[in-house]
Amino acid sequence: MTVRTLDRPKAAPVAGTLVLLALFALAAWAVGDLRINAATMIDSAGNAADFAERMFPLDFPPVGELLGLAGKTLAIVVCATLLSVVLSLVLAVLAAGNTTPNGAARFGARAVIVAARALPDVVLAIVFFRVFGFGALAGVLAMGLHSVGMVGKLYADAIEQIDEGPRAAVRAGGAASGQELVAGVLPQVLPALVATALHRLDINLRISVVLGFVGVDGLGFAISTSLQQLDYRRGMALALIVLVLCVLVELLSGAVRRALLRPSTTVPPPLRPDQVSPQWTAGRIRKTAYAALTVLVVLASIQGAGLSMGQFFGALGDLGDSIGLFWPPKFIPGLLDDLWVTVKIALAATLLGAVLAVPLGALAARNVAPRVARGFRLVIVVVRGIPELVLAIVFVVISGLGAVAGALALAVGAVGLLGKLIADSLEEVDPGVEEAVRATGAGRWQAFFSATLPQAAPAFVAHVLYQLDTNIRSATLLGIVGAGGIGFDLLTASRVLEFGVVTAILLLVFAVVMAVELLAVWLRRVVR
């Protein structure tokens, strides 16, 4: 009698593995079909030299003008992030399984969050420009509503992971539902909420540059104007300012996030019998000062962005007529072909980015390469700080208009995000398994390949699928600077006031993103 020592393979994991292999083959084919190869790079070397000659010396604007542009950009980004936080808090309470009033409210809130994530912010900006006119308001609404897709999901996840003990104690004291949320839920999730908001602030700063090409004021709009006038010295000087701002915000938000999420080791002094509030310790004074500084920054940002309630409510009177311009959708010939190019750009960029990000992320993980991890972490931060749009502009000038520029720009951008996620995943594996392997006499790299890498592999798959989802939306955005795909159709349609075409592009991109999202959810569930 034969004794089976291994379980029969299950159908779902096998199907998931086959789908992953098919995606890999499709991405490899896309790299070849887009002609991303050594010959293309060599042919572009001359263009790179010409571009360098036209770019240097950089032409920075006067300090006052520069500070004004940077301040305007930061004000818009802060207001958009604040809007997303406010909306996401409400949706997260409805979407979290432990705080939602009923199943219908939870399903509706989750659907809104997913839809917000699937809608490209540049399309929202075009719609809001038509409704509310030019200015900061359209940019704030576009970035704020799109950010709800990420912020709302992470907020809901944080609420579902709380310890129910404090909330039950508050409820036992006779508290109402609202008091339960304020006293039993909010204190537990507040550090995670602030950390998520800071992470989104960092992302929105990069997005604001893209939206400048469709009219959002600030550094992005100034870069767009300079490049339209072929003033590369001024345009790239402003792009360098954006890079510095992104790196500074990345470092600042990262430091604040680590401080917030670090477990507190200090024990507050006990209260006196007649005392009803905590003492003013150094920690409490510091937190109060941070809160006051945050309020001042928000108020200054609202003032600096030049937001007008009159503009908002005044436009609502014509809302029906403005929205009517976008319906019905108009599917012109060639849209599906350009959408397929956008998907190929995203696939090729994800594959190239993953190939570069895996070794970089491994070297940046402290448990894999402790001697060099700090240096490679810094490299990842610098790469993450470069907006994809700036990369796309550089590659468009070097390699010419088309998909190659978009794919290369997204590939370099993917290295920053994927490298960070991979490094984090490697550092979060169970160290006990690594120690057990080393106890048998295994070397560092043997422990890495037999213990560390297998534990982190499911997270790798999830990160790469997330990057593919992100790249499809980003490929749409980069098309507006000539980096190929359906984004160029979007920009053209908005300029010639063909708003039905804008709606058609919105529906097509939404359908593709949702399909990728559903595929990613299924693969994450079956590939473990």
Side-chain angles (χ1 to χ4, degrees):
M1 176 179 173
T2 302
V3 179
R4 183 177 295 278
T5 57
L6 294 174
D7 294 333
R8 289 181 180 277
K10 296 181 179 178
V14 172
T17 304
L18 292 175
V19 170
L20 285 174
L21 291 174
L23 283 175
F24 175 80
L26 190 59
W29 171 80
V31 172
D33 189 63
L34 295 176
R35 300 182 186 281
I36 303 173
N37 49 44
T40 303
M41 301 296 118
I42 294 172
D43 291 342
S44 303
N47 295 334
D50 292 340
F51 176 62
E53 289 182 3
R54 284 180 287 168
M55 189 178 74
F56 294 107
L58 297 175
D59 177 25
F60 291 93
V63 175
E65 181 183 348
L66 189 58
L67 290 177
L69 289 171
K72 187 81 172 181
T73 300
L74 291 173
I76 292 173
V77 169
V78 169
C79 290
T81 306
L82 177 65
L83 175 64
S84 72
V85 167
V86 172
L87 296 176
S88 297
L89 276 175
V90 178
L91 286 170
V93 170
L94 296 174
N98 53 342
T99 56
T100 186
N102 52 59
R106 187 185 186 203
F107 177 79
R110 289 278 179 182
V112 171
I113 290 172
V114 171
R117 192 162 60 247
L119 292 173
D121 32 28
V122 69
V123 178
L124 292 175
I126 291 172
V127 174
F128 289 134
F129 273 132
R130 186 63 193 177
V131 175
F132 299 105
F134 284 95
L137 181 59
V140 169
L141 290 174
M143 277 190 289
L145 294 182
H146 177 70
S147 301
V148 168
M150 170 192 156
V151 180
K153 179 183 183 303
L154 295 180
Y155 279 12
D157 292 345
I159 291 175
E160 288 182 340
Q161 293 169 4
I162 63 167
D163 178 4
E164 288 293 336
R167 187 181 173 205
V170 172
R171 189 188 307 124
S177 300
Q179 293 170 313
E180 278 184 41
L181 291 175
V182 173
V185 177
L186 186 60
Q188 296 188 65
V189 298
L190 189 57
L193 301 190
V194 176
T196 300
L198 288 171
H199 184 45
R200 190 64 214 185
L201 177 75
D202 176 29
I203 295 174
N204 281 345
L205 178 57
R206 284 191 280 270
I207 291 177
S208 70
V209 183
V210 180
L211 298 189
F213 280 70
V214 294
V216 174
D217 207 358
L219 284 166
F221 186 71
I223 293 173
S224 170
T225 304
S226 299
L227 295 181
Q228 286 174 2
Q229 298 170 350
L230 302 182
D231 188 355
Y232 294 112
R233 294 177 178 177
R234 174 60 61 88
M236 296 315 296
L238 293 172
L240 180 61
I241 297 299
V242 172
L243 169 62
V244 172
L245 276 179
C246 287
V247 172
L248 289 178
V249 170
E250 166 80 18
L251 293 174
L252 178 63
S253 64
V256 175
R257 286 200 301 271
R258 285 192 294 274
L260 285 171
L261 298 177
R262 186 184 305 134
S264 176
T265 56
T266 57
V267 179
L271 298 179
R272 297 189 305 273
D274 59 339
Q275 189 177 0
V276 295
S277 61
Q279 295 181 14
W280 283 97
T281 60
R284 190 182 180 196
I285 293 173
R286 186 169 57 249
K287 290 179 181 177
T288 305
Y290 286 157
L293 179 62
T294 302
V295 171
L296 287 176
V297 169
V298 168
L299 292 176
S301 299
I302 294 174
Q303 179 71 23
L307 299 180
S308 168
M309 297 305 291
Q311 181 188 7
F312 179 79
F313 289 108
L316 292 182
D318 301 325
L319 183 62
D321 294 336
S322 300
I323 295 297
L325 295 173
F326 290 86
W327 198 261
K330 185 177 180 181
F331 293 89
I332 60 175
L335 276 188
L336 289 178
D337 293 337
D338 290 339
L339 179 65
W340 176 232
V341 172
T342 297
V343 173
K344 285 195 295 184
I345 292 172
L347 285 167
T350 304
L351 177 61
L352 295 174
V355 168
L356 296 173
V358 169
L360 184 61
L363 291 171
R366 285 186 288 272
N367 57 333
V368 177
R371 294 183 180 178
V372 297
R374 186 182 294 273
F376 280 96
R377 280 277 182 179
L378 182 61
V379 172
I380 288 175
V381 168
V382 173
V383 175
R384 281 199 68 202
I386 307 174
E388 287 90 350
L389 185 79
V390 174
L391 291 169
I393 293 168
V394 172
F395 282 119
V396 162
V397 175
I398 293 175
S399 63
L401 295 172
V404 173
L408 292 177
L410 289 180
V412 175
V415 170
L417 179 58
L418 266 181
K420 177 185 182 303
L421 295 175
I422 289 172
D424 292 345
S425 299
L426 290 171
E427 290 180 352
E428 292 168 359
V429 300
D430 183 1
V433 181
E434 295 175 301
E435 292 171 2
V437 173
R438 287 199 189 98
T440 64
R444 179 183 298 279
W445 291 109
Q446 289 173 313
F448 173 73
F449 284 108
S450 61
T452 310
L453 194 58
Q455 290 187 78
F460 283 9
V461 173
H463 296 330
V464 172
L465 290 171
Y466 172 73
Q467 186 66 59
L468 174 61
D469 181 6
T470 303
N471 279 350
I472 289 176
R473 287 193 293 267
S474 298
T476 304
L477 303 184
L478 298 189
I480 66 176
V481 294
I486 205 168
F488 186 73
D489 298 306
L490 182 65
L491 183 64
T492 304
S494 66
R495 285 179 173 173
V496 300
L497 306 183
E498 284 281 1
F499 297 113
V501 178
V502 173
T503 305
I505 294 173
L506 171 65
L507 294 174
L508 291 173
V509 174
F510 182 83
V512 172
V513 171
M514 288 303 298
V516 173
E517 179 106 9
L518 292 174
L519 180 64
V521 169
W522 177 72
L523 284 173
R524 281 195 292 267
R525 193 171 62 247
V526 301
V527 180
R528 294 180 184 276

